[in-house]
């Protein structure tokens, strides 16, 4: 009702928060794949909690915080190596962080059977070995987030900060950043087709 009207706006066929201060750390090459429409899913091991209402993403909307930390060429699919190489040679403003885009989580699928991983082939830029290792890390399982990605009309850079350091997924930005002017990477029809393909492969979403 009024909360949605005050805090969100309608973009195409969906609502989006008017401003957001949460960012999600992801390899720069994955952020590039998301921002270009190469993929629309994010693979997650954790950060999703089970409550009375089922599984919930900690932050259902977030900025894509592009990082090269732990990014490894050997953990990508062969066809993604050229993207990795191009990103490695790109220069960027010193002391600045790129927010490559903005993600809205539309559905979450929980994979509990290793045989389901084969259905992810061609949907992401990671190697099969990397996905398998993530699945088996600690407790077997993996979450697949179907995300609608939006990008700003020009690169969005923010000053780096020691506050952003550490091996953590979520970053609380110093202030909320407005989402006005963001453009969807995929059209409504293209995204619905990609989202329905995930549902066909993995069944009903868990949230």
């Amino acid at each position: 009702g009024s909360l949605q009207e005050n805090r969100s706006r309608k973009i195409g066929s969906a609502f989006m928060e008017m401003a957001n201060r949460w960012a999600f750390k992801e390899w720069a090459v994955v952020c590039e794949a998301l921002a270009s429409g190469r993929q629309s899913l994010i693979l997650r091991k954790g950060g999703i909690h089970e409550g009375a209402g089922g599984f919930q993403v900690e932050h259902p909307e977030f900025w894509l915080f592009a990082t090269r930390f732990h990014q490894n060429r050997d953990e990508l699919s062969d066809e993604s190596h050229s993207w990795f190489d191009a990103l490695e040679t790109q220069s960027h403003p010193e002391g600045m962080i790129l927010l490559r885009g903005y993600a809205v989580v539309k559905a979450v699928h929980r994979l509990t059977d290793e045989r389901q991983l084969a259905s992810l082939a061609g949907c992401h830029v990671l190697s099969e070995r990397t996905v398998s290792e993530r699945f088996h890390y600690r407790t077997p399982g993996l979450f697949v987030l179907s995300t609608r990605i939006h990008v700003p009309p020009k690169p969005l850079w923010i000053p780096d900060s020691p506050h952003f350091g550490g091996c953590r997924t979520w970053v609380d930005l110093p202030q909320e950043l407005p989402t006005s002017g963001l453009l969807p990477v995929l059209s409504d029809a293209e995204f619905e087709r990609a989202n329905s393909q995930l549902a066909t492969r993995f069944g009903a979403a868990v949230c």
Side-chain angles (χ1 to χ4, degrees):
S2 59
L3 179 60
Q4 186 178 58
E5 292 166 4
N6 291 335
R7 293 289 301 166
S8 65
R9 71 169 65 81
K10 194 169 187 181
I11 306 293
S13 62
F15 283 94
M16 179 192 298
E17 294 180 14
M18 296 183 69
N20 196 331
R21 69 184 301 161
W22 288 102
F24 176 89
K25 279 189 179 181
E26 182 58 280
W27 285 357
V29 66
V30 175
C31 289
E32 196 63 32
L34 290 164
S36 69
R38 165 65 178 79
Q39 71 181 59
S40 59
L41 59 82
I42 294 175
L43 302 179
R44 290 289 300 127
K45 185 65 181 183
I48 299 172
H49 308 290
E50 186 174 12
F55 290 92
Q56 299 293 326
V57 182
E58 191 169 343
H59 302 289
E61 296 187 24
F62 46 84
W63 297 97
L64 294 173
F65 185 112
T67 178
R68 300 183 187 186
F69 192 59
H70 288 321
Q71 184 171 263
N72 191 327
R73 191 177 192 268
D74 294 336
E75 296 188 45
L76 302 174
S77 61
D78 291 343
E79 59 269 23
S80 304
H81 287 173
S82 59
W83 279 23
F84 177 89
D85 295 340
L87 286 171
E88 286 296 295
T89 59
Q90 285 181 5
S91 60
H92 57 83
E94 188 173 350
M96 303 294 285
I97 295 292
L98 176 63
L99 298 182
R100 188 61 182 88
Y102 187 82
V104 180
V105 178
K106 294 298 186 179
V108 178
H109 300 271
R110 186 188 188 197
L111 309 189
T112 57
D113 188 334
E114 185 178 15
R115 292 172 295 181
Q116 294 175 292
L117 299 184
S119 296
L120 291 170
C123 296
H124 57 82
V125 297
L126 302 179
S127 69
E128 291 183 17
R129 178 178 58 84
T130 299
V131 175
S132 178
E133 289 175 351
R134 292 189 181 186
F135 178 89
H136 288 288
Y137 180 67
R138 293 183 178 173
T139 304
L142 199 64
F143 288 101
V144 178
L145 279 59
S146 176
T147 59
R148 184 78 187 268
I149 305 297
H150 301 74
V151 293
K154 61 181 181 179
L156 179 57
W157 297 91
I158 61 171
D160 197 0
S161 167
H163 170 69
F164 300 155
C167 295
R168 54 197 177 111
T169 298
W170 299 107
V171 174
D172 186 5
L173 302 176
Q175 62 185 36
E176 289 190 332
L177 298 177
T179 60
S180 58
L182 295 179
L183 305 171
V185 172
L186 300 179
S187 68
D188 288 352
E190 288 171 329
F191 176 76
E192 288 305 323
R193 184 163 56 249
N195 197 36
S196 63
Q197 286 174 352
L198 285 179
T200 300
R201 296 182 187 195
F202 305 122
V206 295
C207 71

